Amino acid sequence: MLTNEPTYRPMTFKIFLEFIRLNAKAASVVPYFIGVLFSIYYFHAFYWINSLIYLVAQVAIALFVTGFNNVQDYYLAKDLHYRDTYNIVGREHLSPRRSLNLMLAMLATAIILGLVLVVRTNLLLLFMGAAAIGVAIFYTYGPVPFSRFPLGELLSGCVEGFGVFFLSVYMNVATPVLAGFKFAWPQFAIVGNLENILVMILVGLPGIFLVANIMLADNISDLQQDIRNERYTVPYYIGHRWSLRVYDTLALLGYLPVLMSVVLQILPIYQLAVLLVLPKILKNIRAFNAVQVKETTFNTVPQNLMMFQGMQLLGLILGIFF
């Protein structure tokens, strides 16, 4: 019997890795490990069970964000050529419904593990986690998704760059060390240590800059395509020339808080290892400035994050043992 039902292809493992953009997932995982190591180095605290649960939850939400965005971009696409040729759901003839269900399973996993962590830590985590998941969902969902506005760099930098780092430390320290929520009907109070939170912000700034720069580079590369699909990102408003200037600045700005943290003895002297990768980062900056192509030069941007924060990881490990 003939039907009008479209024929979909199964999602193979290779397609799944592209669907969740594995090459960009370091932006989610590296800040986690920096947070764990910083907790050990600076706060002398490490709870492996909490850290492991949060790692699984964070990976699940990171996979959800990318996959869910791909599905939503497919549904919201105004440019049918883009939808059927460049969007992975359309190009690979994947079932949007099955793809969405898979991502919702990832979201459910993250939420369940998050609730476990709330029980194991503090009620304040419930509000922080709800805010982060809200950003993840409504970035491409709802009547007015965040992706239609120039908010991507700010949201990704703060939530993925700093939020992951902050929460990976939060999993390991006692409530008074950073912040906590106390509730005894009818009274409640939020308590915290401002000095430690300011330390966290300073140490977390490189992650904010580097992750935001990945989003900016992605938007620069997709500028014309985004306009056709009625997504008006930062490069649309400030123009191509100024977008590249902001990109260059963010790519190097992370060095400043690292140097300040070393001078203030918040981070070990070994953090200066980030200077070793400066020549390669400058080379990558020049390559992306020359041409902004998703399939080639865009990969230099997550490379910069991996090199810079890879040296940060090495510096923290050396600081812990020596």
Side-chain angles (χ1 to χ4, degrees):
M1 183 175 65
L2 295 176
T3 68
N4 293 323
E5 291 283 330
T7 301
Y8 296 118
R9 293 173 55 187
M11 184 183 293
T12 64
F13 184 66
K14 181 180 179 181
I15 293 176
F16 174 75
L17 294 181
E18 185 180 356
F19 180 69
I20 52 94
R21 292 181 64 185
L22 182 67
N23 63 328
K25 289 303 102 180
S28 302
V29 178
V30 174
Y32 163 85
F33 286 107
I34 289 178
V36 170
L37 291 175
F38 184 69
S39 178
I40 296 171
Y41 173 79
Y42 190 81
F43 294 111
H44 310 291
F46 176 61
Y47 293 95
W48 71 269
I49 296 178
N50 287 0
S51 294
L52 181 61
I53 294 173
Y54 178 60
L55 176 61
V56 176
Q58 172 53 33
V59 170
I61 198 67
L63 299 184
F64 163 78
V65 168
T66 306
F68 184 69
N69 287 350
N70 279 328
V71 175
Q72 288 301 111
D73 284 347
Y74 175 84
Y75 281 126
L76 298 174
K78 305 293 183 181
D79 182 351
L80 298 184
H81 176 71
Y82 157 78
R83 187 193 70 181
D84 298 332
T85 307
Y86 293 99
N87 180 276
I88 188 171
V89 177
R91 189 188 75 224
E92 299 295 337
H93 304 290
L94 303 176
S95 166
R97 181 178 57 81
R98 288 198 294 267
S99 300
L100 178 60
N101 289 341
L102 178 61
M103 292 304 100
L104 291 178
M106 297 287 184
L107 177 62
T109 300
I111 291 174
I112 291 170
L113 293 177
L115 292 174
V116 171
L117 288 171
V118 169
V119 174
R120 294 180 60 87
T121 56
N122 185 266
L123 191 60
L124 184 61
L125 180 62
L126 179 66
F127 302 107
M128 294 189 291
I133 289 176
V135 170
I137 293 173
F138 293 106
Y139 186 74
T140 52
Y141 181 74
V144 188
F146 295 146
S147 64
R148 305 285 156 170
F149 299 94
L151 297 172
E153 289 78 7
L154 177 64
L155 293 174
S156 63
C158 292
V159 175
E160 201 169 14
F162 179 75
V164 173
F165 163 73
F166 183 89
L167 290 178
S168 62
V169 175
Y170 196 81
M171 298 302 132
N172 289 288
V173 298
T175 295
V177 173
L178 288 177
F181 182 87
K182 294 183 177 181
F183 178 76
W185 180 264
Q187 298 178 328
F188 71 91
I190 297 177
V191 297
N193 186 307
L194 184 58
E195 179 182 344
N196 286 339
I197 290 176
L198 291 175
V199 165
M200 291 289 293
I201 292 173
L202 180 63
V203 176
L205 279 175
I208 295 175
F209 299 146
L210 291 167
V211 172
N213 222 22
I214 292 177
M215 177 65 74
L216 178 61
D218 185 77
N219 288 334
I220 294 172
S221 302
D222 290 342
L223 178 57
Q224 297 306 317
Q225 178 179 286
D226 284 343
I227 293 173
R228 289 193 296 271
N229 286 292
E230 299 181 5
R231 289 194 297 263
Y232 303 109
T233 57
V234 167
Y236 172 81
Y237 288 99
I238 68 175
H240 184 265
R241 180 183 175 188
W242 276 101
S243 295
L244 287 177
R245 289 186 178 183
V246 174
Y247 164 80
D248 296 345
T249 302
L250 289 176
L252 298 173
L253 198 56
Y255 279 96
L256 184 59
V258 169
L259 294 175
M260 290 177 60
S261 298
V262 171
V263 171
L264 294 173
Q265 298 184 331
I266 295 171
L267 291 175
I269 189 71
Y270 305 109
Q271 283 290 297
L272 296 181
V274 295
L275 296 171
L276 297 176
V277 297
L278 181 57
K280 178 60 176 176
I281 288 177
L282 290 172
K283 182 180 179 181
N284 282 348
I285 291 173
R286 288 192 293 269
F288 187 77
N289 272 265
V291 59
Q292 301 85 49
V293 179
K294 203 68 167 288
E295 292 75 22
T296 55
T297 56
F298 172 76
N299 287 331
T300 62
V301 190
Q303 279 177 20
N304 286 348
L305 180 145
M306 287 297 294
M307 288 188 295
F308 188 98
Q309 298 208 304
M311 289 297 102
Q312 284 195 289
L313 287 172
L314 176 61
L316 283 168
I317 293 171
L318 292 174
I320 290 169
F321 287 102
F322 300 103

